[in-house]
Amino acid sequence: MSSIIKKKVIIKNRLGLHARPAALFVQLANKFESDISIRKEEQGVNGKSIMGVMMLAAGKGDEVEIEANGKDARKAVEELEKLLMSNLEG
Amino acid sequence: MTLKGIAVSPGIVIGKVFLLNIESFIIPKIAIKEEEVANEIERFKQVLKQTNEEIISIQKKLNRELGSKHSDIFNAHLLILDDPVLTEQMTDKIKKRKLTAEYLFQQVMRNYEKAFSEIDDAYFKERISDIQDVGKRIIRNLLGRKKANLANLKEEVIVVSYDLSPSDTALMGKEKVIGFATDIGGKTSHTAIMARALEIPAVVGLEKITVKAKNDDLLIIDGDKGIVIINPRRQVIEKYYKKREEDLKFNRELKKLRTLPAQTKDGYPIEITANIELPEEIDSALKEGAEGIGLYRTEYFFLNRSVLPTEEEQYQAYKFVAQKMNPHPVVIRTVDLGGDKFLSHLNIPSEMNPFMGWRAIRFCLARPDIFKIQLKAILRASRYGKLKIMYPMISSAEEFKQANRVLAEVKKELKEQNIPFDKEVEIGAMIEIPSAALTADILAKEADFFSIGTNDLIQYSLAVDRVNEKIAYLYEPNHPAILRLIKIIIEAAHKEEIWVGMCGEMCSEPVFIPLLLGLGLTKFSVSPLMLSRVKKVIRSLSLKEAKVAAKEILNLETIKEIKHFSRIRFKEAMLNFC
């Protein structure tokens, strides 16, 4: 069953969504079938696009909204949220 | 026109400019027909695939030659190629605008570059270079053009570039490249290390060389002074040709020494090893005839990056070094963070007095999580060669024992997991704090070896901040206190029959070599570039005479007297140096 799930997350990691954290985010996003987007203020980008996510330039303390649309939307948002809440330094 | 930069590889070279990666592709706007659209999209996708394969093959080549640290850079490139938005945008544009893929792709790239350059964050801005690197590769492939080919150069050239990436140097026809000059970089940048490994002069950090120099301009690189001269006058050229001749002659003399032993005139063997910072420097060290690595600094794993290095990453590097140097020994210094170098990603407050602060072994003992990973990586690699472990900034025997307890825990864990390692790995202390020097007799009972780090020893003993220009004149290896401390350390080591070496800058200065020999030092560890020069001095000296001289020097009371004495007595040693 297809669904749209949204979730707001405040970035905890000191480096924000810098190159490597952005890469981790994109790699994880690409594991899901759902369409995934990530939004900061009025700017929204495809969560599966490395250049898009890097261009968000989301830093520590920024609020971003993850949105997934598809069969595995719930799981996708859950895992991506977990990644953003971790220190992303795995 | 003269430009000043950072001298990273010595020597003088005069040659023609070859601008690398400054190629501007002029891509004409060419329309395609409706029925060609599908083909054009397919062609673009094929090129992405081809580029992907290219990068993977460069990555593999680098992995073999230099280890994974350098090939990791390309992971970002691969992700960019995989970017679904990029493919989507291109597909859309080709369908709507009906122009060639290369033309449209260039526009897309420009938009990305513009967007990134507007980000108000230096770190993100730097990503532009990754995007440009991949972008150029894709455009080249779309045009069916090979990269400005450094592999088939017809004549000798000086490569002038913004920076040199591992992919540039990996594919370079090395026999035709006689020098490097780049806009950015420092002493440990890839360009600098490659230049030293290839033994060609290089100056980096010239800021605008790629703008000022044109293809086929005549260029002089003075890799000793860090100067580059574009289209010099005839007199200047003649002067440099002469200097180059002298240099080459001197270097030929030095090269002859590479295979000769470092032995004093009266037949005593001395060991000269190399100090390195990166695994790639091993080649230079071996070529220069190093009998081992006396100091392998490991800070580079931790600096300028956003994540801590993994055990595997460190293990691969240590294994590489151990194997390449085998059967020669390699002393790995555990990480010396703090002071002037700190991890950008750990939230560590800045200190009022960082050189006396939370750093080196103090930091490692407080963060056993980080310390243990490094020790584990070293131990795992130890069975591939002759590795030794050295703790930096040891101030007392207790501290040394405490570090050893952490090491014992790591060994125990390895044993439990049945992971093999060399159980005889020697553990030593870097002696660079006066309290350690003065209690060297106690420490010598615990340690398997000592290595004297003179830079910090002088700074701490004389209470002189090395980087404070106002008091720099007080930083003086000739101070009687320093000479006495060195004597104490060497004698304590000899008494307990452990080996002692020196890895500070002092032991590569010609005027100190006879003095140190006379004080009983038999192991010198110096930068690969200094190796032959130090050897030349040692081979010109008699140990017996050096001992007599050292004894006399220890009786002198002032720096002035010591300098005066050395200048006269060691004149020959200094003449042998250059």
Side-chain angles (χ1 to χ4, degrees):
Chain A
M1 194 190 68
S2 179
S3 59
I4 299 175
I5 306 286
K6 290 186 191 181
K7 178 91 193 185
K8 284 186 177 156
V9 185
I10 293 185
I11 295 181
K12 292 265 166 60
N13 173 35
R14 197 172 65 82
L15 288 172
L17 274 179
H18 270 192
R20 190 177 144 83
L24 290 174
F25 185 92
V26 170
Q27 278 166 340
L28 181 59
N30 273 300
K31 290 193 179 128
F32 299 102
E33 230 176 85
S34 301
D35 289 335
I36 291 163
S37 67
I38 175 166
R39 170 176 298 277
K40 186 184 105 184
E41 289 154 19
E42 72 283 10
Q43 191 188 7
V45 297
N46 184 330
K48 297 183 181 182
S49 157
I50 181 72
M51 296 211 265
V53 173
M54 284 202 295
M55 265 192 320
L56 266 192
K60 186 184 175 183
D62 283 345
E63 186 181 69
V64 294
E65 186 177 55
I66 317 166
E67 180 181 317
N69 182 356
K71 269 193 266 178
D72 49 7
R74 186 166 300 279
K75 193 158 188 302
V77 169
E78 263 172 30
E79 292 201 16
L80 289 168
E81 183 196 356
K82 213 159 64 181
L83 183 77
L84 288 184
M85 298 295 284
S86 76
N87 61 8
L88 283 165
E89 289 189 6
Chain B
M1 187 192 316
T2 304
L3 297 177
K4 181 97 182 77
I6 304 163
V8 293
S9 186
I12 286 164
V13 72
I14 303 170
K16 275 189 183 168
V17 170
F18 183 96
L19 281 169
L20 181 67
N21 295 345
I22 318 293
E23 44 195 330
S24 60
F25 297 105
I26 298 161
I27 301 167
K29 188 172 175 180
I30 298 175
I32 55 171
K33 296 188 193 103
E34 178 66 41
E35 59 267 31
E36 288 171 333
V37 165
N39 250 339
E40 195 64 7
I41 292 169
E42 189 47 35
R43 188 169 74 93
F44 178 72
K45 287 182 179 163
Q46 279 304 323
V47 161
L48 287 183
K49 219 163 137 192
Q50 180 195 346
T51 313
N52 189 61
E53 282 159 12
E54 255 176 46
I55 291 176
I56 288 174
S57 90
I58 296 175
Q59 206 173 16
K60 277 191 189 143
K61 185 171 189 292
L62 284 175
N63 222 336
R64 274 196 310 273
E65 289 173 3
L66 303 172
S68 64
K69 157 106 179 153
H70 288 267
S71 56
D72 277 352
I73 304 165
F74 293 102
N75 284 340
H77 295 196
L78 292 174
L79 270 176
I80 294 171
L81 288 172
D82 272 344
D83 197 316
V85 172
L86 183 66
T87 315
E88 227 170 81
Q89 273 181 331
M90 283 298 294
T91 310
D92 274 3
K93 277 186 191 269
I94 295 170
K95 277 185 193 158
K96 283 192 193 124
R97 301 194 53 198
K98 300 193 181 56
L99 294 165
T100 58
E102 48 267 34
Y103 183 80
L104 294 169
F105 182 74
Q106 196 183 32
Q107 288 189 329
V108 170
M109 278 292 123
R110 282 198 190 130
N111 289 341
Y112 274 120
E113 283 170 23
K114 190 163 169 285
F116 271 86
S117 65
E118 279 163 5
I119 295 175
D120 186 24
D121 179 322
Y123 195 89
F124 279 110
K125 273 189 186 163
E126 277 174 30
R127 296 304 106 205
I128 295 180
S129 68
D130 284 333
I131 295 170
Q132 283 170 334
D133 199 348
V134 184
K136 278 190 180 154
R137 217 175 263 284
I138 294 171
I139 290 182
R140 261 195 306 268
N141 287 335
L142 282 168
L143 291 167
R145 220 188 276 183
K146 288 271 171 280
K147 180 159 190 168
N149 209 337
L150 273 176
N152 306 314
L153 289 166
K154 293 281 177 290
E155 54 175 357
E156 291 187 334
V157 294
I158 293 174
V159 172
V160 174
S161 180
Y162 177 73
D163 191 16
L164 285 170
S165 69
S167 65
D168 295 327
T169 50
L171 303 170
M172 195 172 273
K174 300 186 172 74
E175 54 292 327
K176 295 284 184 196
V177 176
I178 55 173
F180 291 149
T182 61
D183 287 346
I184 63 160
K187 287 226 181 251
T188 55
S189 59
H190 178 76
T191 312
I193 289 154
M194 279 311 295
R196 292 197 290 262
L198 298 171
E199 297 173 46
I200 58 175
V203 177
V204 303
L206 288 155
E207 289 176 4
K208 284 186 177 157
I209 180 84
T210 54
V211 184
K212 306 276 184 200
K214 291 188 297 296
N215 269 326
D216 293 331
D217 274 353
L218 194 67
L219 203 70
I220 296 176
I221 294 187
D222 183 340
D224 300 309
K225 295 210 178 85
I227 288 171
V228 169
I229 308 169
I230 305 169
N231 293 327
R233 281 178 296 127
R234 185 206 288 260
Q235 297 97 304
V236 179
I237 298 175
E238 276 164 12
K239 191 184 100 187
Y240 272 97
Y241 263 119
K242 218 173 133 207
K243 190 153 184 299
R244 179 173 157 80
E245 281 310 303
E246 287 164 11
D247 274 10
L248 289 177
K249 198 173 147 224
F250 180 66
N251 284 336
R252 273 195 297 272
E253 291 294 309
L254 281 183
K255 268 185 195 162
K256 286 186 201 151
L257 291 173
R258 286 177 177 176
T259 50
L260 295 176
Q263 200 176 50
T264 60
K265 219 161 57 180
D266 47 351
Y268 291 93
I270 302 297
E271 184 188 280
I272 313 180
T273 55
N275 297 343
I276 63 165
E277 206 147 338
L278 299 168
E280 297 90 296
E281 290 177 281
I282 290 273
D283 289 332
S284 310
L286 282 171
K287 206 154 41 179
E288 293 289 342
E291 295 174 79
I293 300 299
L295 172 64
Y296 173 14
R297 304 182 175 96
T298 54
E299 289 73 57
Y300 79 95
F301 278 119
F302 296 82
L303 300 171
N304 304 320
R305 55 186 292 167
S306 54
V307 280
L308 282 169
T310 61
E311 179 187 319
E312 188 61 24
E313 183 186 342
Q314 294 187 59
Y315 162 71
Q316 290 297 346
Y318 303 150
K319 180 179 159 189
F320 174 83
V321 173
Q323 276 176 329
K324 268 215 137 166
M325 286 310 295
N326 204 19
H328 298 302
V330 176
V331 177
I332 302 183
R333 182 177 71 184
T334 58
V335 68
D336 183 4
L337 291 171
D340 49 352
K341 24 187 201 265
F342 236 122
L343 298 94
S344 48
H345 47 95
L346 293 177
N347 271 315
I348 290 161
S350 61
E351 298 179 349
M352 286 287 286
N353 203 344
F355 282 100
M356 298 197 183
W358 195 45
R359 57 176 289 201
I361 197 68
R362 304 163 179 186
F363 169 79
C364 283
L365 289 174
R367 288 294 302 263
D369 52 331
I370 295 173
F371 192 33
K372 275 184 163 175
I373 287 172
Q374 182 173 37
L375 292 174
K376 214 174 207 173
I378 299 173
L379 286 173
R380 279 175 61 202
S382 66
R383 65 194 193 101
Y384 295 97
K386 209 171 160 199
L387 295 184
K388 299 167 195 281
I389 298 173
M390 172 162 74
Y391 306 135
M393 284 275 289
I394 289 290
S395 65
S396 68
E398 285 98 304
E399 210 171 25
F400 188 82
K401 282 194 250 183
Q402 207 186 333
N404 268 345
R405 278 198 291 277
V406 180
L407 182 71
E409 281 171 37
V410 174
K411 283 185 176 172
K412 197 171 152 240
E413 285 166 30
L414 286 173
K415 270 184 205 149
E416 282 164 5
Q417 294 162 28
N418 282 322
I419 298 171
F421 62 93
D422 173 9
K423 294 184 179 61
E424 308 291 310
V425 169
E426 288 184 5
I427 316 297
M430 183 134 169
I431 308 291
E432 51 190 332
I433 298 183
S435 62
L438 291 169
T439 53
D441 56 328
I442 308 172
L443 258 168
K445 294 190 173 84
E446 303 297 329
D448 296 320
F449 66 90
F450 286 161
S451 184
I452 308 172
T454 48
N455 304 2
D456 275 343
L457 186 65
I458 296 168
Q459 140 160 304
Y460 293 135
S461 302
L462 305 180
V464 174
D465 181 350
R466 272 193 276 164
V467 286
N468 186 333
E469 281 170 24
K470 288 200 184 85
I471 50 166
Y473 72 97
L474 288 172
Y475 184 89
E476 182 50 79
N478 279 308
H479 195 295
I482 302 301
L483 306 185
R484 279 166 168 70
L485 284 176
I486 292 172
K487 180 171 179 272
I488 289 171
I489 300 164
I490 295 174
E491 283 177 353
H494 287 171
K495 194 163 164 250
E496 290 297 328
E497 292 176 342
I498 64 170
W499 67 264
V500 53
M502 183 177 282
C503 57
E505 273 161 33
M506 187 173 174
C507 73
S508 56
E509 282 184 47
V511 65
F512 297 122
I513 295 169
L515 171 63
L516 293 169
L517 277 178
L519 289 173
L521 192 74
T522 55
K523 290 174 194 283
F524 292 65
S525 196
V526 302
S527 142
L529 290 173
M530 302 304 286
L531 228 140
S532 298
R533 299 183 187 210
V534 172
K535 191 189 277 182
K536 191 159 185 258
V537 176
I538 287 173
R539 289 176 60 87
S540 74
L541 293 166
S542 138
L543 181 63
K544 222 170 123 195
E545 285 167 27
K547 285 206 158 140
V548 175
K551 218 169 175 179
E552 285 178 51
I553 286 181
L554 284 170
N555 285 326
L556 300 176
E557 289 174 359
T558 65
I559 294 171
K560 206 174 152 194
E561 282 168 1
I562 294 173
K563 277 188 167 169
H564 181 71
F565 180 95
S566 300
R567 227 180 355 250
I568 292 167
R569 187 65 83 86
F570 302 146
K571 203 164 158 190
E572 206 189 335
M574 284 150 79
L575 281 177
N576 258 304
F577 201 65
C578 49

